[in-house]
Amino acid sequence: MKILAIRGKNLASLEGEFEVNFTTEPLKSAGIFAITGNTGSGKSTLLDTLCLALFDDIPRNNRTNESISIIDVKDKSINQTDSRTILRRGTSDGYAEVDFVSLGGETFCSRWSVRRSRDKIDGSLQNVDFKLTNRSTNTELQGRKTELLAKIVELIGLTFDQFTRAVLLAQGDFATFLKATQKEKAELLEKLTGTDIYSRISSSIYEKSKNAEQDLTILKEQIKGIELLSDEELETLSTEKQVIKTDLESLRIEVSRLTAKINWINEEALLMSGVNQAEQQLVNAQRTIEEAKPRYDFLLKTDSVQEIRDVYIELKNSQRQLIVNNSNLANYESERDANALLLKQAIENLATCEEDQKQHLEAVSTIEPQIRQARSLDIRLVGATTSRKEAEKEYQQAIEQKKKIEKSVLSAQTTIETAEKTIEKNRLWFDDHKQYKEIIPRVELIVNLLCDVETANTQKSNNLKILAKSKEILFSDTTKLAEFTTEAERLNKLLPTEIATLRAKLQEGNPCPVCGSLHHPMVEILGGSLKEAELNRSKEIVQNQITLLSDAIDKRKAENVRLQSMVDSYANQAEETISKLNNYLNVLPSWQQFEYKVLQNQLTEIAGNWGKYTSEQTTANELHSNFTISLKHEKESLLGASEALSIKETKYKSTVTELESLQKERSLILDGKSADSIESLYSLKGKGIAERIKALSTAREDIAAKGEKIAGSIAQITSTLSELLKRCDTLQTSIDAWLAKQEDTITSELLAELFSKDSSWLTAERNALNRLRDAITSIQATLTERKNKLEIH
């Protein structure tokens, strides 16, 4: 798997759209790179974007096992482990997108997106939309989100847990990988390096080897159960086999002969069955033709009456028209009677409505003076109401102004009291700490001097320790130098035989008195005496040790002098600094009893409080002065506000009394109802009466016109009925004359039956009877053919 690009929008601390493209410079050619930035700049959000697009999950959501709901918008809540919590506050939509190369080498694009309803920042969170696109084939994979997530695991070869434990280790999660079991580490590393194929090959080889061993074992067991035949037994079985083959061939020939005979018999039975079936079909067809003879006769009679068909049909049509017109005439007569009643009722309703209009006009003339009086009072009421509202507003403003001034007075008094308490409290504190008044301006200098004293004492102590150690080393080196000097004097007096004797006394692991070595290779050299060169060599070694120790002692002495000088310098420095401190801290006689660190902290704290309380005291004095003056002005303003409030209250009560008087007078006119509503009511009533009169007049005219139209229709239908009667008599006479010529072979009832069938029925019937004749011909041909085949067989 290889990541090609990471893109996102409105996620956690990253606002708007962002992109990290690994296929372009400078990242394309970078072998290694780092993501850096201040806390909250979006480093972890880039990694969260990668996980979101691949797994619909982020590492930070897996650090808690508790199921806690957090407020989202309005009264909606969302679980803290929900991946949608990463959407940035104050945004309506966001997405995470990753381009990657799968294990198969194809390029894919995985996109996770979420939005709020109505695309508003206060909308509810919608479900996550997840898409997976194959960029190599430019096709989008279909399926539910769970199916697409499973497909991604298959493409990259890692689950979310494996990905976050081996590839992307979130902050503080590196220990999780280190603490994983050996098996879990092996699985992760195999997937990351692609070496899991060798595990699969090993397993496959093991399985095949195991199966081959099982097959080999089975074959060996089978071989053990096989018994070989003797030559005589094999000869006997071969003879039996040949005899059985000869008998089998004879049986096959007999089976073929009997099979052919059976087939001939079956074919003969089949042909005879076909002949019998055809004969039966012919009998059935002839019977059907016989049964259909009345139908043939009916068709012949139908053809014979066609000359009178048009006259008959015209008669029937005229008779139907006669029935319809009679029915219409009865309907129109009924409608005429009903219309006459409606006309009478319309005339009566019109007269009633005209009387209502007359009474309404009389009522309007009576109510008009009251309406004019009500309008006059309404105008006065509007003015009185406006005056009352204005007076009430001024009265309320006066009340608020007085309350505001009272609040200011109370606030000023409270501030003055608080300032007085602060001043008194700070005064007491300054009295308790007055001895520090001269020290406070120099606190920083004194603290630095205390630090210098402490530093000088520390350096003095450290150098004393180093000096003591150095003196110990000098004493040790001086002792060794004395030993090597003595040894050199002794070697100068020794002969080679004596050196050999000395070496003979050396033991492995014990130090040599000459060189101090624990290993003595010269002991192994045989000989009763040493050469002069060997003695000189020993002398040279001892002399070298003396030279080295002498140089080291000289340097050590110089170092001790330097260290002693530093100790004295630091001691002098500490004494000088303490002397300065005495000059500054003489007001605190017991200051040297404190530890320097404690004294530093105490002075620093007192200095801080001194500045703090000084500032508080200055501020409190200013407040006390300013608010004392302000309180005097506010009390004067309060007196003026009280007088103004009394005037406004008197004015307000006067306007209320005037308004109540007018309202009482107005309630006695028109029952207190609005003049416009009363006038509108009477106007609407007058319009309604006028509209009713107009509608009733129109209805009366329409009913009268309809009556005239009905009378015309009745006259027309009456004329049409007379003509139809004459036509029916003429046509009936013609039909009766034609029937008389038929000599009773066709009656009027039969004629009606013959003409009841339409042309489509006649055509269908004629075709059906023709098919019956054709069927007999076909069956006869089939029967002849089957008899010929049977005879040939």
Side-chain angles (χ1 to χ4, degrees):
M1 174 200 176
K2 180 179 180 181
I3 302 299
L4 301 180
I6 301 174
R7 290 178 288 274
K9 177 184 178 184
N10 294 335
L11 301 178
S13 56
L14 295 179
E15 184 177 7
E17 293 188 324
F18 57 89
E19 179 181 14
V20 178
N21 195 332
F22 300 101
T23 62
T24 59
E25 295 298 345
L27 296 178
K28 180 179 180 180
S29 58
I32 187 170
F33 56 89
I35 303 174
T36 63
N38 296 329
T39 301
S41 60
K43 303 184 295 298
S44 297
T45 303
L46 284 176
L47 305 181
D48 289 339
T49 303
L50 175 62
C51 290
L52 269 180
L54 293 177
F55 304 105
D56 183 29
D57 203 351
I58 52 180
R60 68 179 71 180
N61 285 349
N62 295 327
R63 293 181 179 173
T64 177
N65 295 323
E66 298 181 7
S67 179
I68 300 175
S69 295
I70 57 178
I71 299 300
D72 183 32
V73 292
K74 298 179 181 178
D75 57 345
K76 304 291 184 180
S77 61
I78 183 173
N79 194 287
Q80 66 173 352
T81 60
D82 196 315
S83 63
R84 295 174 295 174
T85 56
I86 197 173
L87 181 64
R88 184 177 176 86
R89 289 284 183 176
T91 59
S92 60
D93 66 296
Y95 70 84
E97 187 174 273
V98 170
D99 294 345
F100 64 93
V101 179
S102 69
L103 297 178
E106 293 183 304
T107 301
F108 287 84
C109 175
S110 175
R111 181 183 176 91
W112 174 99
S113 61
V114 67
R115 67 177 187 85
R116 294 188 180 275
S117 60
R118 310 185 313 280
D119 290 328
K120 301 292 185 181
I121 60 176
D122 60 346
S124 301
L125 279 173
Q126 305 299 295
N127 291 333
V128 169
D129 184 22
F130 201 86
K131 293 182 180 180
L132 180 61
T133 304
N134 187 331
R135 289 286 176 83
S136 300
T137 60
N138 199 25
T139 57
E140 181 179 339
L141 279 67
Q142 303 299 317
R144 295 188 297 272
K145 183 177 74 172
T146 53
E147 296 171 343
L148 296 178
L149 291 173
K151 181 64 177 178
I152 289 178
V153 172
E154 179 182 342
L155 291 173
I156 67 177
L158 291 171
T159 64
F160 175 71
D161 290 336
Q162 293 171 335
F163 187 80
T164 54
R165 289 172 61 187
V167 179
L168 190 155
L169 294 177
Q171 298 182 35
D173 285 349
F174 184 70
T176 304
F177 176 74
L178 296 180
K179 294 178 181 179
T181 63
Q182 194 68 23
K183 181 179 179 182
E184 291 174 337
K185 288 180 181 177
E187 290 176 355
L188 290 172
L189 294 174
E190 280 183 353
K191 290 190 175 183
L192 291 175
T193 58
T195 56
D196 55 331
I197 186 173
Y198 300 112
S199 297
R200 295 197 297 272
I201 292 173
S202 175
S203 299
S204 177
I205 291 173
Y206 174 76
E207 290 295 329
K208 290 182 179 180
S209 174
K210 183 179 179 181
N211 294 336
E213 288 180 357
Q214 291 178 351
D215 293 342
L216 179 61
T217 302
I218 293 171
L219 289 174
K220 287 180 179 179
E221 292 297 327
Q222 290 177 348
I223 289 173
K224 292 179 181 179
I226 296 174
E227 296 181 1
L228 297 178
L229 297 174
S230 63
D231 294 340
E232 293 78 6
E233 291 174 335
L234 182 60
E235 182 68 25
T236 302
L237 290 175
S238 298
T239 303
E240 290 180 1
K241 178 181 178 182
Q242 190 63 37
V243 172
I244 291 172
K245 286 176 67 177
T246 303
D247 294 341
L248 182 61
E249 186 63 27
S250 300
L251 290 173
R252 283 181 182 148
I253 295 171
E254 182 64 18
V255 167
S256 298
R257 186 183 65 79
L258 293 175
T259 301
K261 187 172 183 179
I262 290 170
N263 290 339
W264 186 91
I265 293 171
N266 290 337
E267 187 176 357
E268 181 184 27
L270 183 62
L271 290 172
M272 290 181 66
S273 174
V275 170
N276 294 333
Q277 183 180 9
E279 289 177 346
Q280 183 61 40
Q281 289 176 349
L282 181 60
V283 171
N284 294 336
Q286 289 173 344
R287 185 183 305 112
T288 302
I289 288 289
E290 187 65 27
E291 292 173 353
K293 186 176 180 181
R295 295 166 63 189
Y296 286 105
D297 294 340
F298 186 83
L299 279 178
L300 290 174
K301 288 183 180 180
T302 301
D303 293 338
S304 66
V305 300
Q306 291 304 310
E307 59 179 326
I308 197 65
R309 180 181 184 86
D310 293 340
V311 176
Y312 183 83
I313 291 174
E314 186 178 358
L315 174 62
K316 292 301 180 183
N317 289 337
S318 297
Q319 289 175 345
R320 282 195 292 272
Q321 291 179 12
L322 189 63
I323 295 171
V324 170
N325 278 279
N326 281 324
S327 175
N328 290 340
L329 179 61
N331 292 336
Y332 276 119
E333 288 176 346
S334 176
E335 190 174 354
R336 179 191 60 193
D337 297 339
N339 192 70
L341 292 174
L342 290 175
L343 180 60
K344 180 180 178 183
Q345 187 177 0
I347 293 171
E348 293 175 353
N349 290 339
L350 181 59
T352 302
C353 195
E354 289 174 345
E355 181 63 26
D356 291 342
Q357 187 180 39
K358 181 179 178 181
Q359 294 176 0
H360 174 70
L361 292 174
E362 292 176 354
V364 168
S365 62
T366 303
I367 201 69
E368 280 181 350
Q370 297 182 27
I371 291 175
R372 287 193 294 271
Q373 185 180 2
R375 288 187 186 282
S376 176
L377 286 173
D378 287 342
I379 293 171
R380 292 173 62 190
L381 277 170
V382 170
T385 302
T386 302
S387 298
R388 185 194 65 78
K389 289 182 178 179
E390 292 176 354
E392 183 181 10
K393 183 178 180 182
E394 293 175 356
Y395 177 52
Q396 292 297 331
Q397 288 176 347
I399 293 174
E400 292 298 325
Q401 182 65 21
K402 184 181 177 184
K403 289 181 179 179
K404 184 178 179 181
I405 295 173
E406 289 175 345
K407 187 176 180 181
S408 298
V409 169
L410 181 60
S411 175
Q413 291 174 342
T414 303
T415 303
I416 291 171
E417 291 174 0
T418 303
E420 289 175 348
K421 290 179 180 178
T422 302
I423 292 170
E424 180 62 20
K425 181 193 72 171
N426 291 341
R427 187 188 64 76
L428 293 175
W429 189 87
F430 282 120
D431 289 344
D432 293 339
H433 298 81
K434 58 186 178 181
Q435 67 271 27
Y436 292 95
K437 185 175 181 179
E438 296 179 1
I439 297 176
I440 293 302
R442 303 184 182 88
V443 163
E444 186 174 355
L445 174 61
I446 293 171
V447 169
N448 290 334
L449 290 174
L450 288 170
C451 290
D452 292 344
V453 171
E454 190 174 5
T455 302
N457 288 333
T458 301
Q459 292 294 338
K460 175 184 174 182
S461 176
N462 292 338
N463 282 283
L464 282 172
K465 291 178 181 179
I466 296 171
L467 179 60
K469 186 68 176 178
S470 181
K471 287 180 177 180
E472 291 177 2
I473 296 172
L474 177 62
F475 177 77
S476 176
D477 289 346
T478 304
T479 304
K480 288 182 180 178
L481 178 61
E483 292 175 354
F484 278 109
T485 302
T486 304
E487 181 65 18
E489 293 175 353
R490 190 181 64 80
L491 287 174
N492 289 331
K493 297 177 181 179
L494 285 177
L495 296 176
T497 54
E498 293 174 330
I499 295 174
T501 303
L502 179 63
R503 287 182 177 174
K505 295 179 180 179
L506 294 176
Q507 293 181 357
E508 192 71 19
N510 293 330
C512 173
V514 178
C515 64
S517 175
L518 300 178
H519 182 54
H520 317 294
M522 298 302 293
V523 174
E524 299 175 1
I525 300 175
L526 300 176
S529 62
L530 294 174
K531 296 179 179 180
E532 188 67 26
E534 293 175 357
L535 178 60
N536 292 333
R537 175 64 180 163
S538 298
K539 292 179 179 179
E540 183 180 355
I541 290 172
V542 171
Q543 188 60 43
N544 288 338
Q545 290 294 326
I546 291 172
T547 303
L548 291 174
L549 285 171
S550 297
D551 293 340
I553 288 170
D554 292 340
K555 292 179 181 179
R556 183 63 61 187
K557 288 179 178 179
E559 177 67 14
N560 288 350
V561 171
R562 187 184 68 82
L563 289 172
Q564 185 63 48
S565 175
M566 291 180 65
V567 168
D568 295 340
S569 174
Y570 281 121
N572 293 333
Q573 182 180 347
E575 290 176 0
E576 290 175 0
T577 306
I578 290 172
S579 176
K580 292 179 182 179
L581 285 171
N582 277 324
N583 293 332
Y584 295 129
L585 298 175
N586 54 9
V587 294
L588 299 176
S590 59
W591 70 271
Q592 293 189 16
Q593 297 178 2
F594 294 96
E595 293 183 6
Y596 292 142
K597 193 68 176 178
V598 173
L599 185 58
Q600 290 175 32
N601 294 336
Q602 182 178 350
L603 290 176
T604 302
E605 181 182 358
I606 292 173
N609 290 334
W610 192 282
K612 174 184 173 183
Y613 294 143
T614 300
S615 177
E616 285 184 0
Q617 194 78 339
T618 302
T619 303
N621 287 328
E622 290 177 355
L623 286 174
H624 187 276
S625 176
N626 293 336
F627 276 90
T628 300
I629 297 171
S630 176
L631 179 61
K632 180 179 178 182
H633 293 320
E634 293 294 341
K635 286 182 177 180
E636 293 175 355
S637 299
L638 181 60
L639 182 61
S642 299
E643 294 175 354
L645 177 61
S646 177
I647 295 171
K648 300 295 184 184
E649 183 178 8
T650 302
K651 181 180 177 182
Y652 170 65
K653 290 180 179 179
S654 174
T655 56
V656 170
T657 302
E658 182 182 359
L659 179 61
E660 290 175 350
S661 176
L662 289 173
Q663 288 174 340
K664 183 176 180 180
E665 184 180 355
R666 177 64 179 82
S667 64
L668 299 175
I669 301 173
L670 299 179
D671 295 332
K673 296 179 182 178
S674 169
D676 289 339
S677 64
I678 296 296
E679 188 177 37
S680 175
L681 178 64
Y682 276 89
S683 176
L684 288 174
K685 186 175 181 181
K687 289 180 180 179
I689 293 172
E691 289 175 356
R692 284 175 57 200
I693 290 174
K694 183 178 179 181
L696 289 172
S697 298
T698 302
R700 182 189 63 183
E701 293 172 359
D702 291 343
I703 292 171
K706 185 177 180 181
E708 295 176 356
K709 184 177 180 181
I710 292 172
S713 298
I714 289 174
Q716 184 179 359
I717 291 174
T718 302
S719 174
T720 302
L721 283 173
S722 176
E723 293 177 359
L724 286 173
L725 287 172
K726 291 179 181 179
R727 182 60 181 165
C728 286
D729 290 342
T730 302
L731 293 173
Q732 187 63 49
T733 302
S734 298
I735 292 172
D736 290 342
W738 185 84
L739 288 173
K741 294 178 182 179
Q742 303 306 313
E743 299 178 355
D744 297 334
T745 56
I746 296 178
T747 63
S748 58
E749 291 78 7
L750 180 59
L751 186 64
E753 182 181 358
L754 293 173
F755 285 137
S756 65
K757 308 297 183 183
D758 57 13
S759 58
S760 60
W761 182 89
L762 293 173
T763 301
E765 183 70 3
R766 188 173 282 108
N767 291 336
L769 294 176
N770 289 336
R771 284 196 296 272
L772 291 178
R773 291 195 184 96
D774 294 342
I776 288 179
T777 304
S778 176
I779 293 171
Q780 286 176 341
T782 300
L783 179 60
T784 301
E785 181 184 2
R786 290 179 179 178
K787 285 183 177 180
N788 291 336
K789 287 183 178 180
L790 179 60
E791 184 177 355
I792 292 170
H793 181 69

